[in-house]
Amino acid sequence: MTISIRKKHYLQRVAATAIIFLNTSAVCFAAASAVPAAPAQTDPNASNMSGKYKLFAQSIPALPVPPKSLSDIAAFKKYIAAVNAYLDAAQKYIDASTNDLNVIIIQRNLAIKSANSVTNTYNAFLDANKTK
């Protein structure tokens, strides 16, 4: 049972870290903007994904149901196996989601860098062609 408890705490830490990272990334994105402008409204329907993202509920086995009693050793062993299978599936989903997010963040950062480069080139062009 110690392994299961550790997995639970690990999953909680991973989820909390992901939330903090996403919030920090959003702040960094806003700070990276080179052109001061009114805050842009994001399109809630905008997506670069060609299909629907696989939801967590579609990726895991049924929730484990505890046995009625600890005295039924066979049922308890099945319960332990079900809990571990559930946690393994959850960890697999978390790992895959983290990998997906890392790719998305890298590509988003490339887009920001490219947009900033275009903006800097534009500003340099305007500065070089100011009427004196």
Side-chain angles (χ1 to χ4, degrees), residues 20-96:
I20 290 169
F21 183 75
L22 290 174
N23 286 337
T24 303
S25 296
V27 170
C28 291
F29 175 75
S33 178
V35 179
Q41 294 294 325
T42 58
D43 180 359
N45 298 315
S47 176
N48 292 324
M49 294 187 339
S50 59
K52 291 196 176 213
Y53 197 77
K54 189 174 183 180
L55 300 177
F56 176 61
Q58 298 167 331
S59 306
I60 55 169
L63 288 172
V65 178
K68 296 187 189 270
S69 166
L70 281 175
S71 60
D72 185 352
I73 301 299
F76 182 64
K77 285 182 179 180
K78 284 182 182 179
Y79 178 60
I80 291 172
V83 167
N84 285 327
Y86 186 90
L87 293 176
D88 289 342
Q91 186 62 53
K92 183 178 176 183
Y93 184 87
I94 290 167
D95 292 345

